[in-house]
Amino acid sequence: MKQFQFEFSDIEKLKQELDKINQWRKSKDTFTTVFSIYAENTDKETIIAACETLEKEMPDALYLGCTTNGTITEGRLSDSPFVVICTLCEKSSTQVSLLQYNLTEATAIEVIASLKQELIKRPWVKAVELLATIRGMSMTPFCEACTDIDPKIQIFGGGAFNIDLNNDNACVFSKDKGYSEKSVAFLLVGGEDLNVQATHITGWKPLGREFHVTKATGNMLQELDGKPAYDAYFRYLNIPNNEDFFYNTLEFPFFYKHHGINILRAPIASNADGSLTMTSNIEENVYARIAYGDPWTILNSIEEGGREIAKFQPEIIKVFSCAARRTFWGNDEISKETWPFQNIAHTSGFYTSGEFLRMDTELIQHNVTLVVAAFREGNVDESVTFTMAPEKFSGKVSMINRLATFIDAATAELAEANRKLAMMAIADSLTELYNRAETQRRIVKALDEFKQNGRKVSLIMMDIDNFKMVNDTYGHKEGDNVILGLTKIIREVVEGYSSDASCGRWGGEEFMIVLPNTDCSKAAEIANEIRLKFAQQSFPLARRKTVSVGVVEALRGESADMVSVRVDSALYEAKNNGKNQVFIG
């Protein structure tokens, strides 16, 4: 593959560049020619004029393009608002096709159905590049409709954008259907000698607390933790609900798990009711955190991704990078994350309103992400070594790096403190088993499940025999040793039987075990094993001690208090019958 990258300023200069390419094609064995055209805020007439010139000067070539938030040429942010990338295929087996469709939420599924039919007609297709106008619509139906496309076919691309982040005007155009402000263009590539590899890189890290998505409908995120979703941005980032909301939140996407991977999802608008409009659907009952970029993490991710791409030994690389990343780095620093790929192969691309990458069978719409597609004709001759020079940050990025490190450390410390506080609220301070209040709550929960789905519930209650004598004779330190010894045995035995069980200190030397999905006979088996193992343990001063145990299985209609009284009565019978035994109530 051979590539030419050049800036477009006027028709005459475009003709000159095309003449150079034609001269080169005549001197070499080249076959398919494809132009990618990226324009920032260029008007419709200019785009159409450039496309007409291409068709006239090079009628056998294909072309597609879109408006962008900036263009990447030779691995760097281009100074030009209009860039043309020409790729020439040097293998006769490489095949390329163009498709373009009108795209709205209403037509999305129909578009993918048509794409599937075209792919069936072209069994040679290995990858599909897409350029789409996506602002103001949810792309979830579009993405979900791609699930049953042949998993061997890779799909990647980006959303058309505008140089003005707050301007929704964008377009897609191609040789197939021309200029359109509501469209998707597909470039189908394949053939025996063509190889394609695509990956994604983020580098954004979750910061601060976790939010529960309590209400969401389609691409409308309505509530987090039962409150209007916008409140999270106002409370934690002091971002007002005005016309600049999208611009101000672009660098602060939500971070959550989707189809088994961590993805970023940015809101595009805040509404009067406090809901947020997202570019893609977000599910209810997921947990999300606000994320922010860390320069070192981003560049480490670039280096890891670069090493993998270098192994593939591509001839050209296409980059689809979110406009938020350009905003984050600033124009002076943004090329730090794309320039390294130029050391591998000719690198071009654009800054998008959303990035797409198929992973396994799922086409996922990303935000604030770098999607990298590498192309090669023929086999790998030798490996390419990929290295990145150490970067020194200055100005805004240096401050971001330090603040991100500080916030990361502070967040980790706060999370640990909150974890300890949460445990203190439900755990016994000596044994670290659940305290009485939490154990009672778990009894209620187990009984509710028993009522709803018939899962049996059993309780075990035990008491250390003659424990007062241990404290009175040997002191409370030895008493604590005995309690901790029993605690250890309870944990070990119960973990071997049930992962659903809850073990609690009921008070003093009394313990309660809640066993969901366990009948009375199995509970008695557990109880007896604890009793036998404890009786075999010897303590420094108290020597050997024993426990008395009561076991019951919950009955239909019993409340937590009723079953607790019954198991307490069973324990009383074990004591009255001579201690060191299990009594089934």
Side-chain angles (χ1 to χ4, degrees), residues 408-420:
D408 215 25
T411 300
E413 291 174 2
L414 182 60
E416 178 61 17
N418 287 337
R419 186 192 68 79
K420 289 179 178 178

Side-chain angles (χ1 to χ4, degrees), residues 411-460:
T411 300
E413 291 174 2
L414 182 60
E416 178 61 17
N418 287 337
R419 186 192 68 79
K420 289 179 178 178
L421 284 171
M423 283 304 300
M424 287 173 64
I426 64 173
D428 171 64
S429 59
L430 175 63
T431 64
E432 296 185 354
L433 298 176
Y434 294 118
N435 58 25
R436 182 163 180 159
E438 180 63 17
T439 305
Q440 287 175 317
R441 190 189 71 78
R442 287 170 178 262
I443 293 172
V444 171
K445 180 182 177 184
L447 290 174
D448 286 344
E449 291 178 354
F450 175 40
K451 181 179 179 180
Q452 292 171 10
N453 55 36
R455 292 179 69 201
K456 294 181 178 181
V457 181
S458 294
L459 298 185
I460 299 173

Side-chain angles (χ1 to χ4, degrees), residues 33 70 86 115-116 119 135-136 180 234 246 277-278 302 308 323 351 363 387 418 433 449 461 465 495 525:
T33 302
C86 176
L115 173 64
K116 291 174 185 175
L119 290 173
R135 294 281 284 161
S180 173
F234 183 74
F246 171 67
T277 303
M278 316 296 285
I302 295 294
E308 289 303 309
Y351 292 96
L363 178 60
T387 57
N418 287 337
L433 298 176
E449 291 178 354
M461 189 175 187
D465 297 328
E495 285 175 3
E525 184 181 335

Side-chain angles (χ1 to χ4, degrees), residues 50 89 129 151 203 235 283 291 403 460 474 479 487 499 550:
C89 302
E129 175 187 338
R235 179 178 180 182
E283 303 90 350
L403 286 175
I460 299 173
Y474 306 112
T487 298
S499 59

Side-chain angles (χ1 to χ4, degrees), residues 461-463 465 531 546-551 566-585:
M461 189 175 187
M462 64 185 68
D463 180 276
D465 297 328
R531 182 188 69 83
T546 61
V547 289
S548 297
V549 190
V551 176
R566 280 208 303 121
V567 75
D568 185 66
S569 297
L571 172 59
Y572 180 80
E573 291 297 328
K575 290 282 190 184
N576 275 353
N577 290 341
K579 302 179 181 178
N580 189 24
Q581 62 183 268
V582 175
F583 186 89
I584 301 173

Side-chain angles (χ1 to χ4, degrees), residues 521-555:
S521 61
K522 178 60 69 174
E525 184 181 335
I526 294 169
N528 201 47
E529 185 172 338
I530 293 171
R531 182 188 69 83
L532 292 172
K533 287 190 174 182
F534 183 67
Q536 295 168 3
Q537 183 167 342
S538 180
F539 298 95
L541 301 176
R543 303 297 180 189
R544 297 186 188 279
K545 301 301 296 177
T546 61
V547 289
S548 297
V549 190
V551 176
V552 299
E553 181 180 318
L555 304 175

Side-chain angles (χ1 to χ4, degrees), residues 37-41 47 64-71 100 103 129-137 139 157-165 167-173 179-185 246 268 279 320-323 349-356 365-367:
I37 305 169
Y38 304 125
E40 289 182 5
N41 201 17
I47 290 173
L64 75 163
C66 64
T67 49
T68 76
N69 186 250
T71 302
Q100 186 176 337
L103 180 64
E129 175 187 338
L130 69 90
L131 303 177
T133 52
I134 68 173
R135 294 281 284 161
M137 65 179 285
M139 291 295 286
F161 213 178
N162 192 296
I163 192 62
D164 178 1
L165 294 174
N167 191 333
D168 284 351
N169 293 332
C171 72
V172 164
F173 46 90
Y179 180 98
S180 173
E181 294 179 359
K182 289 187 180 297
S183 191
V184 57
F246 171 67
I268 59 173
T279 54
F320 307 90
S321 181
C322 186
F350 69 98
Y351 292 96
T352 76
S353 59
E355 308 76 55
F356 297 87
Q365 179 184 355
H366 292 270
N367 292 131

Side-chain angles (χ1 to χ4, degrees), residues 225-342:
D225 297 333
K227 299 176 182 178
Y230 160 74
D231 288 1
Y233 281 103
F234 183 74
R235 179 178 180 182
Y236 294 99
L237 296 171
N238 196 31
I239 294 175
N241 189 357
N242 58 26
E243 65 276 6
D244 294 321
F245 177 82
F246 171 67
Y247 179 83
N248 290 328
T249 58
L250 197 56
E251 298 174 58
F252 301 96
F254 284 112
F255 177 104
Y256 75 106
K257 194 170 287 292
H258 178 69
H259 288 303
I261 67 165
N262 293 321
I263 69 165
L264 301 171
R265 184 72 76 234
I268 59 173
S270 179
N271 307 304
D273 62 356
S275 63
L276 301 177
T277 303
M278 316 296 285
T279 54
S280 191
N281 292 10
I282 186 166
E283 303 90 350
E284 286 186 357
N285 292 319
V286 299
Y287 288 86
R289 294 165 70 183
I290 291 174
Y292 197 63
D294 170 45
W296 287 118
T297 303
I298 293 170
L299 293 185
N300 286 339
S301 300
I302 295 294
E303 187 166 13
E304 290 175 10
R307 282 198 295 266
E308 289 303 309
I309 293 169
K311 293 177 185 176
F312 177 73
Q313 199 178 341
E315 293 175 296
I316 66 167
I317 293 173
K318 290 187 178 182
V319 172
F320 307 90
S321 181
C322 186
R325 301 178 80 92
R326 180 181 178 183
T327 302
F328 169 80
W329 284 104
N331 290 347
D332 293 338
E333 304 278 2
I334 181 59
S335 297
K336 287 185 184 297
E337 66 174 28
T338 53
W339 167 247
F341 297 112
Q342 181 68 21

